[in-house]
Amino acid sequence: METEEDVELVQLNSAQAEQFARIEQLWPEFGHSLQVLAASDGGGMAWRTVDGIEYLTRYTRQDGKQKVKSLGRRSPETEAIFEQFESTVLKARRVRRELREDVLLSCKLAKAYGVARLHGRLAETLDWLWYTGASSRISVFGGTALLAYESGSGIIAPAALVKDKHLQFVARTEDLDILNLDEIAEACDVDDEGATWKYDDDRYLIRTKLERRLLAEVFLPTYFVRRLDGDAHDELKGMLRGPGTKALTFSRDTRPIELTALDPRTYAIAAHCMRDSDLWAERAQFACELVRQRWPDDFDRVQDIILDADPDVRWSRLRGP
């Protein structure tokens, strides 16, 4: 990929890098505890003695009232249930309690040092997709994806390139049943206005039902590969369906957010396919230089061929949103 001028890569300073390192240290335990607690129905569990016999009792609250349910007499089976509750829910509560202040401090420092840049509205959607597991079916694209490469590369993404009015994703499948766009649309509807999706030229547009405000785009792999052939077609198709890159970033409202973004090599090529837009040309250029200079895995031969080709000659241009 030839460029008119070199891209200046700005390194994270020591304070910024320290916050990424700290949240990455805390997140495996803390993040898992959040998922465990989100999947539980709250409440507690304890042994209760009635007429000299111990019963395992489950306590929950519904509509402000406590509900009590006996799970049976003390036995190997109920002891196993209680042990499971202790090792999952109770452990998760302890981890969340013990690490919450450290996590919050890291997020506040990240904001003070200028690396908490993800808009709260977008963070809400990405958080929901992480909680539900929907992020295993789609990869973050657009400017937001560049935030996922900061820690791994040690390079801060230019502010002009990361701004997104709405989220963009690339689907890892074209099977609608697997993709489950209803769940993705619900995650995007953070204001609870109601959201719907519609197919449009190898992508799905998610909009609010009444105002028709665009909330997100979900690109199918065919959006990028339909004008490629041979090795280039097969290479990019496989890359777009790959597991992507998991990384942490910080939201402006001081939360750690786990992103599953396109691998930066895939991002660079997909952005290159959309480079008739000045913004996408700059994103492609930045991603290419980041990979070549600071990412552990460089482009392979076929990927270099795609990047070095002139889109006007090799394939018809793909126009971005």
Side-chain angles (χ1 to χ4, degrees), residues 5-17:
E5 55 184 27
D6 293 334
V7 176
E8 181 183 1
L9 300 182
V10 179
Q11 288 187 253
L12 298 173
N13 63 40
S14 59
Q16 292 169 333

Side-chain angles (χ1 to χ4, degrees), residues 1-7 141-143 146 158 160-161 168 267-290 292 307 310-312 317-321:
M1 180 180 180
E2 297 182 1
T3 57
E4 294 181 359
E5 55 184 27
D6 293 334
V7 176
F141 192 38
L146 297 178
L161 303 187
Q168 294 175 311
Y267 183 101
I269 296 174
H272 184 57
C273 291
M274 301 167 68
R275 59 183 290 105
D276 57 334
S277 155
D278 290 341
L279 175 60
W280 279 106
E282 291 177 18
R283 285 172 172 171
Q285 185 178 352
F286 171 77
C288 281
E289 290 305 309
L290 181 143
R292 286 174 171 153
L307 288 169
D310 182 349
D312 290 336
R317 290 186 177 187
L318 297 182
R319 187 167 295 279

Side-chain angles (χ1 to χ4, degrees), residues 7 22 24 46 57 85 88 137 142 169 174 214 234 282 298 309:
V7 176
R22 181 59 175 152
E24 287 166 0
T57 307
F85 184 77
T88 55
R137 307 192 300 271
F169 304 96
E174 296 179 23
L214 185 61
D234 296 340
E282 291 177 18
D298 203 348

Side-chain angles (χ1 to χ4, degrees), residues 141-210:
F141 192 38
T144 302
L146 297 178
L147 299 175
Y149 313 142
E150 292 184 321
S151 179
S153 66
I155 298 297
I156 190 164
L161 303 187
V162 302
K163 294 178 181 178
D164 280 330
K165 293 181 179 179
H166 60 271
L167 287 167
Q168 294 175 311
F169 304 96
V170 176
R172 295 182 203 156
T173 176
E174 296 179 23
D175 185 322
L176 275 181
D177 290 333
I178 296 175
L179 188 55
N180 193 353
L181 282 162
D182 287 335
E183 183 179 54
I184 296 170
E186 186 179 3
C188 294
D189 184 24
V190 296
D191 293 327
D192 201 25
E193 299 176 61
T196 186
W197 52 269
K198 180 180 180 181
Y199 178 80
D200 179 73
D201 191 27
D202 286 331
R203 61 183 172 174
Y204 291 95
L205 305 180
I206 299 175
R207 298 182 183 274
T208 56
K209 285 184 177 179
L210 296 180

Side-chain angles (χ1 to χ4, degrees), residues 83 154 165 223 293 301 307:
E83 183 178 349
K165 293 181 179 179
Y223 185 91
Q293 296 186 37
R301 181 186 63 83
L307 288 169

Side-chain angles (χ1 to χ4, degrees), residues 24-291:
E24 287 166 0
Q25 180 185 42
L26 296 170
W27 185 249
E29 272 196 292
F30 187 76
H32 178 67
S33 73
L34 296 182
Q35 288 185 316
V36 169
L37 295 176
S40 75
D41 57 0
M45 190 178 292
W47 297 104
R48 184 183 182 192
T49 302
V50 178
D51 296 331
I53 300 173
E54 285 188 297
Y55 294 86
L56 183 60
T57 307
R58 185 77 166 96
Y59 300 93
T60 57
R61 296 193 71 82
Q62 185 174 355
D63 299 327
K65 298 180 180 179
Q66 186 179 64
K67 294 181 63 178
V68 180
K69 178 182 179 182
S70 174
L71 301 181
R73 292 187 175 197
R74 186 159 200 156
S75 67
E77 290 76 17
T78 53
E79 287 180 348
I81 292 172
F82 184 64
E83 183 178 349
Q84 174 72 9
F85 184 77
E86 280 190 313
S87 63
T88 55
V89 176
L90 294 186
K91 180 182 178 181
R93 287 176 183 168
R94 185 181 71 251
V95 169
R96 183 180 63 177
R97 183 174 61 252
E98 292 174 352
L99 299 184
R100 181 162 41 194
E101 290 303 315
D102 285 343
V103 169
L104 180 59
L105 176 60
S106 182
C107 292
K108 287 182 175 179
L109 289 173
K111 184 172 183 177
Y113 295 137
V115 286
R117 297 185 290 164
L118 180 62
H119 194 286
R121 184 184 299 274
L122 305 185
E124 193 73 27
T125 293
L126 294 168
D127 213 23
W128 188 335
L129 295 174
W130 171 75
Y131 270 112
T132 62
S135 56
S136 65
R137 307 192 300 271
I138 53 177
S139 296
V140 179
F141 192 38
T144 302
L146 297 178
L147 299 175
Y149 313 142
E150 292 184 321
S151 179
S153 66
I155 298 297
I156 190 164
L161 303 187
V162 302
K163 294 178 181 178
D164 280 330
K165 293 181 179 179
H166 60 271
L167 287 167
Q168 294 175 311
F169 304 96
V170 176
R172 295 182 203 156
T173 176
E174 296 179 23
D175 185 322
L176 275 181
D177 290 333
I178 296 175
L179 188 55
N180 193 353
L181 282 162
D182 287 335
E183 183 179 54
I184 296 170
E186 186 179 3
C188 294
D189 184 24
V190 296
D191 293 327
D192 201 25
E193 299 176 61
T196 186
W197 52 269
K198 180 180 180 181
Y199 178 80
D200 179 73
D201 191 27
D202 286 331
R203 61 183 172 174
Y204 291 95
L205 305 180
I206 299 175
R207 298 182 183 274
T208 56
K209 285 184 177 179
L210 296 180
E211 297 181 2
R212 308 301 296 162
R213 180 166 51 88
L214 185 61
L215 299 175
E217 295 172 279
V218 181
F219 295 90
L220 297 176
T222 48
Y223 185 91
F224 304 95
V225 306
R226 59 190 175 183
R227 292 174 175 83
L228 303 179
D229 54 25
D231 290 344
H233 177 281
D234 296 340
E235 177 76 11
L236 184 53
K237 186 175 182 180
M239 294 173 73
L240 289 166
R241 291 183 173 182
T245 294
K246 291 183 182 294
L248 291 168
T249 192
F250 302 94
S251 68
R252 294 181 194 172
D253 55 1
T254 61
R255 285 185 294 161
I257 302 295
E258 181 176 308
L259 303 177
T260 301
L262 288 179
D263 181 284
R265 293 165 297 177
T266 310
Y267 183 101
I269 296 174
H272 184 57
C273 291
M274 301 167 68
R275 59 183 290 105
D276 57 334
S277 155
D278 290 341
L279 175 60
W280 279 106
E282 291 177 18
R283 285 172 172 171
Q285 185 178 352
F286 171 77
C288 281
E289 290 305 309
L290 181 143
V291 169

